[in-house]
Amino acid sequence: MHHPKKERTLVIVKPDGVQRTLIGEILKRFERTGFKLVGIKMTVPTEAHIEKHYTLNPEWSRITGEKTIASYVKKGEKPWSEDPLEVTKVVLNNLKKYMTSGPIVVMVWEGAHAVDVVRKITGGTEPRTSDVGTIRGDFVLDSYTMADTDKRAVRNLIHSSGNIKEAEMEIEHWFNKKELVDYRLIQDSILYDVNMDGILE
Ligand code: GDP
Ligand code: MG
């Protein structure tokens, strides 16, 4: 097992994040926490690349379908299908349209418990209920209701990997090994040195 300080996760500034000129703001939130940027690129992805991204985890389609159906039932409404996979087909189509509508910024962040902590900074999936202080809570106000009414994907600014396995698959999907850089930051010694003995002269 790697030391937790070596954990890596994938973050995408989605097309609405780029259009809202929030790239710097989003980068800053991860940087100031102590994470190290080890890979970054701007690209306009293809629909095939986006579909693959969301289906790297074979369970994603079923889970997202079930989650979406549950949110309809909770509202006392009927989903457009009872079959989770059929429900996800629509969600995925909307996602493909959304994610290929313009440039995105894809990056890999490294640091202690990167996956969990980056998720915490990202905030919950639906901006309407994402916590204040998170990126989704602070910078956008979309909801599933609005997205479903307008038959489009929810605009939640960024993506971040949901767990370590997802992160590994997603990083491989977006970057080749050569595009990721191993290097030291001056601040690493303050974050991770065991003795903090290099400060005083
Ligand atoms: P994330 O990891 O927080 O982005 O959320 P998920 O991996 O669960 O879902 C990925 C994407 O699928 C989200 O960004 C949404 O666009 C879409 N999605 C997930 N759950 C729902 C839902 O219940 N309703 C709708 N309309 N879209 C959803
Ligand atoms: Mg996810």
Side-chain angles (χ1 to χ4, degrees), residues 14 53-54 60 63-72 75 80 87-88 90-92 94-95 98-99 119 122-127 136 143-145 147-148 152-163 166 170:
K14 294 181 176 181
H53 165 85
Y54 281 107
W60 180 82
I63 293 167
T64 300
E66 286 172 359
K67 234 176 59 181
T68 308
I69 291 170
S71 74
Y72 269 75
K75 282 186 291 187
W80 55 88
V87 167
T88 299
V90 176
V91 172
L92 188 56
N94 290 336
L95 271 171
Y98 167 41
M99 292 296 287
R119 281 296 271 199
T122 297
T125 309
E126 187 191 19
R136 286 166 171 171
S143 69
Y144 289 143
T145 305
D148 292 346
R152 59 165 176 81
V154 66
R155 290 178 194 146
N156 57 11
L157 289 180
I158 79 167
H159 163 83
S160 56
S161 309
N163 55 57
E166 212 175 275
E170 290 178 355

Side-chain angles (χ1 to χ4, degrees), residues 31-50:
E31 252 186 340
R32 71 181 186 186
T33 308
F35 290 115
K36 173 161 48 183
L37 187 64
V38 296
I40 183 164
K41 64 171 82 166
M42 176 177 267
T43 178
V44 180
T46 62
E47 289 201 358
H49 202 75
I50 293 302

Side-chain angles (χ1 to χ4, degrees), residues 42-190:
M42 176 177 267
T43 178
V44 180
T46 62
E47 289 201 358
H49 202 75
I50 293 302
E51 173 155 353
K52 183 83 193 148
H53 165 85
Y54 281 107
T55 52
L56 284 167
N57 172 2
E59 296 287 285
W60 180 82
S61 291
R62 184 185 49 79
I63 293 167
T64 300
E66 286 172 359
K67 234 176 59 181
T68 308
I69 291 170
S71 74
Y72 269 75
V73 171
K74 203 173 137 203
K75 282 186 291 187
E77 291 170 17
K78 245 177 106 64
W80 55 88
S81 166
E82 301 290 335
D83 178 356
L85 296 182
E86 286 301 314
V87 167
T88 299
K89 254 190 212 161
V90 176
V91 172
L92 188 56
N93 261 331
N94 290 336
L95 271 171
K96 285 196 280 190
K97 240 195 268 168
Y98 167 41
M99 292 296 287
T100 61
S101 63
I104 60 173
V105 175
V106 193
M107 41 205 176
V108 177
W109 289 94
E110 180 182 290
H113 309 289
V115 173
D116 280 358
V117 179
V118 164
R119 281 296 271 199
K120 184 180 71 171
I121 297 166
T122 297
T125 309
E126 187 191 19
R128 179 187 190 171
T129 55
S130 327
D131 287 336
V132 173
T134 66
I135 293 167
R136 286 166 171 171
D138 284 355
F139 296 114
V140 70
L141 28 82
D142 207 7
S143 69
Y144 289 143
T145 305
M146 288 224 298
D148 292 346
T149 304
D150 296 340
K151 298 193 174 17
R152 59 165 176 81
V154 66
R155 290 178 194 146
N156 57 11
L157 289 180
I158 79 167
H159 163 83
S160 56
S161 309
N163 55 57
I164 292 177
K165 194 157 167 268
E166 212 175 275
E168 284 168 0
M169 292 191 291
E170 290 178 355
I171 290 168
E172 205 185 308
H173 180 60
W174 289 95
F175 289 90
N176 25 29
K177 283 222 159 60
K178 281 194 192 139
E179 293 173 311
L180 302 175
V181 187
D182 289 305
Y183 65 101
R184 199 171 309 127
L185 280 179
I186 302 294
Q187 69 166 8
D188 286 349
S189 59
I190 295 307

